[in-house]
Amino acid sequence: MKRTVAYLGPAGTFTHEATRAFFPEDDVELVEYPSIPDVLDAVDAGHCHYGVVPVENAIEGSVVLTLDWLIHQVDVLIVGELVYPIAQCLLVHPFQAGRSPEEWTRVISHPQAVAQCRLYLREHLPGAEVSFAESTAEAARQVKSRPDEAWVAIGTRTAGELYGLHVLEEDVQDHPNNFTRFIAVGKEPLPKRNRDPELHKTSILVTLPSDYPGALHQVLSAFAWRQLNLCRIESRPTKKGLGSYHFFIDVEKDWDPVLMAGAVAEIEVLGCHVRRLGSFPCYRVSQGAKPIVR
Amino acid sequence: MKRTVAYLGPAGTFTHEATRAFFPEDDVELVEYPSIPDVLDAVDAGHCHYGVVPVENAIEGSVVLTLDWLIHQVDVLIVGELVYPIAQCLLVHPFQAGRSPEEWTRVISHPQAVAQCRLYLREHLPGAEVSFAESTAEAARQVKSRPDEAWVAIGTRTAGELYGLHVLEEDVQDHPNNFTRFIAVGKEPLPKRNRDPELHKTSILVTLPSDYPGALHQVLSAFAWRQLNLCRIESRPTKKGLGSYHFFIDVEKDWDPVLMAGAVAEIEVLGCHVRRLGSFPCYRVSQGAKPIVR
């Protein structure tokens, strides 16, 4: 039986490219879902074995919808991580390809892709109105559907190929070293891989007992004196009011029954609520690597 | 001479309502700008005395564009804070007001407003396609411009009045206690007020010297043993690569030359870069308070 992997569609987005790289095996079927909540719900309900969603971008920071849905709506484990390079392209209809920069009237993309290219757009396409689409691939589809308009989509090279668009410019994001961190979620660990992971991590969600001076400091102490490196701390609202937060904490260590278990037991006794979100292998795709096609 | 206050427009957004509450004085002129960067740039360039932008929502968390523009693009001080209640309404064209829930074909709003009403929309308007607008007020304008369409905007009661729309439903956000924290920025302190602030805060931006185990813990120690309460810690990417962060830290204390200055001096000697973003008074508008009209 094929294993199924839910991913945030449509086809041609960075999540689609990353999911192919995450699950290159032949016996895997990729299933497209229209939103991050839908992907996570599909795994939680058992409709798919795994799901892949973005969790953090090097420039824009956390994908808060992923974090919030994991906290509040589903009970799934993080089973793997993939860091994937993001190269934004300007995609235009082939009929429009000869235009000069000031003639483009509209730029369409996902709000996060627009944010990643803000300075570039200000400088190079000052006359273009910005409009938002649900995804970079949807933006490409809109540009393809209007051959008579001087419209530009921001998206992947893959979306350009998929929709038969002309690549006007590559790597238009304002900052180099633009990577996105994707997570795979599931109810059981990833199957064994041929390649070795770069490292292992453990993700936990910590809710402080109440707002008192030094509470977070006390939590961090339990990890610091054990020399457990925290590679990420991200606060998210509990949604109970301003000033009340959950903390996503990523520890650069696989789960172990002494150091990790000891730190967690201590902060629980101090009154924190701790939820283990998973211990998992982390992989990375280098910048300039060709997208996997299958 | 009138003092000028830049705000994130258009008229009828929550930022507009909050700016009126922030600067109720008669000798103040509010000036609308189309984006958060434009507001902050206007103050930085001296075109306006003050500017008001959202910085954190109780449900959605930080407004990262505000944080990132403050870090990377401008040199202005935070001079005040206002916590303002957010009540999202469903606004429809009066010609369409009689429809039943399943007949609405499209919901239009700013992505953050849509996110705040995600569960409500799933349950009550499952047949409506979501499309994004640059602001809640722009969504209201779009609905008003198409009297023949069964479209719904999510926005403020003020936008409903401004565009002559029918309020189909009030308080449709998924979570109660929805407040947004706004900041005023400027080159000099706010003028003296009649009302007393709720408290004073100091905002600093800390960049750790390098990624070593326990670095953030050491920074927090400098505040913890002085019993300086940190009411907010938010990490934002330095944009130099995944895993490299600035930390926005809000301390519940006005600046003082002993405790605050001592803590900052210590962490600077430890190798951190510290930027003082401002020490300022904090105000709050209660839930259910009527918007100020002028």
Side-chain angles (χ1 to χ4, degrees), chain A residues 56 58 60 217 221 236-237 245, chain B residues 56 58 60 217 221 236-237 245:
Chain A
E56 184 188 6
E60 289 303 303
H217 171 254
S221 301
R236 288 298 303 154
Y245 305 103
Chain B
E56 184 188 7
E60 289 302 303
H217 171 254
S221 300
R236 288 298 302 152
Y245 305 103

Side-chain angles (χ1 to χ4, degrees), chain A residues 38 41 56 58-61 83 122 134 175 213 216-217 221 229 232-237 239 242 245, chain B residues 38 41 56 58-61 83 122 132 134 175 213 216-217 221 229 232-237 239 242 245:
Chain A
D38 287 321
D41 287 352
E56 184 188 6
I59 310 304
E60 289 303 303
V83 171
R122 256 199 189 189
E134 280 280 333
H175 295 269
L216 181 60
H217 171 254
S221 301
N229 190 28
R232 179 103 184 93
I233 298 172
E234 170 78 15
S235 57
R236 288 298 303 154
K239 302 185 191 277
L242 271 177
Y245 305 103
Chain B
D38 287 321
D41 287 352
E56 184 188 7
I59 310 304
E60 289 302 303
V83 172
R122 256 199 188 188
F132 292 150
E134 281 280 333
H175 296 269
L216 182 60
H217 171 254
S221 300
N229 190 28
R232 179 102 185 94
I233 297 172
E234 170 76 17
S235 57
R236 288 298 302 152
K239 304 187 190 274
L242 272 176
Y245 305 103

